[in-house]
Amino acid sequence: MEIIAAETHSYLRAKKKFPNVWCAGCGIGIALGAIIRAIDNLKLDRNDVAMISGIGCSSRMPVYVDFNTLHTTHGRALAFATGVKLANPKLKVIVITGDGDGLAIGGNHFIHTCRRNIDITTILINNSTYGMTGGQYSPTTPFMKLGTTAPYGNRERDFDICSLAKSAGATFVARGTVYHVTLLEKLVQQAILKKGFSLVEVISHCHTFYGRLNKEGTAVKMMEWQKEHAIPIQAAAKLPPEKLKDKFLIGTMWDVDFPEYCEEYDKVIAQFQVPPEDSEGKK
């Protein structure tokens, strides 16, 4: 365990950017550990990794890690990441976002990046609220749950993130939780290896705002909820519908192949490039 921790810590900007902004007990640190271990397991050179985020609790993550990093504007991480990937397709581009940043302010970027199938891995940490700005309801706040901007209960339906990504065109879609951290690490690895747009939704918790407003208890209690309500997709296939009531699925939801955007873009460029000998002849 000490060796694993030392490897994880070697990827952090420990002397420059700590202590972090996350509340004690927050799940984002667990997600960070899983992402670092996935990158370490794949033996990726950290100089070949670009981690990009927008604004929010989860979007502080790139600040703390020793990769190429961009901490950008609210909801625009995927737009910046698209530019980075097109400029340098050899980079492994990983976007860190939250449910508010990625699906509200950045919702349009999200669906079109899925549709474009550019080779970017997005880790979307879903804690059902805007944590950094005070607990406002987000696109994933469940129906009738409370937020500081929904004091009488949220009357909007929440997004099913994995279904949204699949229907918008993502070629790899998975869901994990910060409780099932070993599975989460494997899902992140699969997503990074996928050629095309890959999404991993990470169910996490915000005990400071969402948990307190909705009387869901401590961080430990909220992680116990994840344990009790998550069902691996393979196990769910063998269960009757009544056993799946109030549960959610974890694992790989969707994995297909489709032409990747950067490669297709290069084909267009090549189609209209004039060979050097022809160019000289014209002169």
Side-chain angles (χ1 to χ4, degrees):
M1 183 63 73
E2 289 182 358
I3 294 174
I4 294 174
E7 290 174 350
T8 302
H9 292 170
S10 73
Y11 286 88
L12 301 179
R13 293 166 172 160
K15 295 182 180 179
K16 294 182 179 179
K17 300 297 182 182
F18 282 74
N20 62 61
V21 300
W22 300 320
C23 302
C26 178
I28 297 173
I30 299 172
L32 170 60
I35 294 167
I36 287 176
R37 288 190 296 277
I39 291 172
D40 189 69
N41 292 342
L42 293 173
K43 307 299 181 189
L44 299 180
D45 187 323
R46 65 185 70 191
N47 294 313
D48 294 332
V49 176
M51 185 177 282
I52 298 166
S53 70
I55 297 295
C57 292
S58 56
S59 291
R60 289 289 295 182
M61 191 182 292
V63 174
Y64 304 125
V65 292
D66 189 19
F67 302 121
N68 302 292
T69 58
L70 283 176
H71 187 203
T72 72
T73 49
H74 208 180
R76 313 304 175 201
L78 284 168
F80 282 88
T82 298
V84 169
K85 187 66 183 181
L86 277 169
N88 189 350
K90 292 181 180 178
L91 287 174
K92 285 289 183 184
V93 178
I94 300 171
V95 166
I96 307 297
T97 187
D99 42 290
D101 180 66
L103 299 178
I105 300 95
N108 213 26
H109 293 302
F110 181 80
I111 58 174
H112 288 289
T113 311
C114 290
R115 180 178 64 84
R116 194 170 292 129
N117 196 38
I118 190 167
D119 189 24
I120 293 172
T121 295
T122 293
I123 311 296
L124 196 156
I125 299 176
N126 178 11
N127 62 5
S128 304
T129 190
Y130 282 88
M132 180 170 278
T133 51
Q136 296 88 350
Y137 76 97
S138 82
T140 59
T141 302
F143 185 69
M144 290 307 294
K145 289 291 186 178
L146 301 177
T148 53
T149 48
Y152 306 108
N154 171 36
R155 305 304 170 112
E156 300 175 3
R157 285 180 292 178
D158 52 311
F159 273 139
D160 179 331
I161 298 173
C162 290
S163 295
L164 177 63
K166 176 184 172 183
S167 59
T171 48
F172 180 88
V173 178
R175 182 188 291 123
T177 80
V178 293
Y179 177 84
H180 304 84
V181 68
T182 303
L183 172 64
L184 179 60
E185 190 177 311
K186 292 177 180 175
L187 294 176
V188 173
Q189 281 186 218
Q190 286 180 261
I192 291 173
L193 290 173
K194 182 68 181 181
K195 190 73 172 178
F197 185 80
S198 55
L199 170 83
V200 179
E201 177 190 2
V202 183
I203 302 293
S204 185
H205 52 275
C206 175
H207 53 292
T208 301
F209 288 109
Y210 182 86
R212 187 179 297 167
L213 283 168
N214 290 285
K215 302 186 187 310
E216 299 203 358
T218 63
V220 173
K221 285 289 183 184
M222 294 184 78
M223 290 183 72
E224 287 176 350
W225 181 92
Q226 295 168 24
K227 174 187 175 184
E228 293 163 2
H229 289 80
I231 298 183
I233 189 167
Q234 298 88 345
K238 302 173 184 175
L239 295 175
E242 59 269 22
K243 293 284 187 182
L244 299 176
K245 186 179 179 181
D246 297 329
K247 302 292 192 294
F248 64 91
L249 304 183
I250 54 174
T252 301
M253 305 291 164
W254 182 247
D255 187 358
V256 296
D257 293 319
F258 193 80
E260 194 274 328
Y261 181 75
C262 291
E263 294 179 351
E264 293 302 304
Y265 198 81
D266 283 344
K267 290 178 185 175
V268 174
I269 294 172
Q271 184 178 349
F272 294 100
Q273 280 182 327
V274 178
E277 57 274 18
D278 292 351
S279 177
E280 291 173 4
K282 288 180 180 178
K283 289 179 180 177

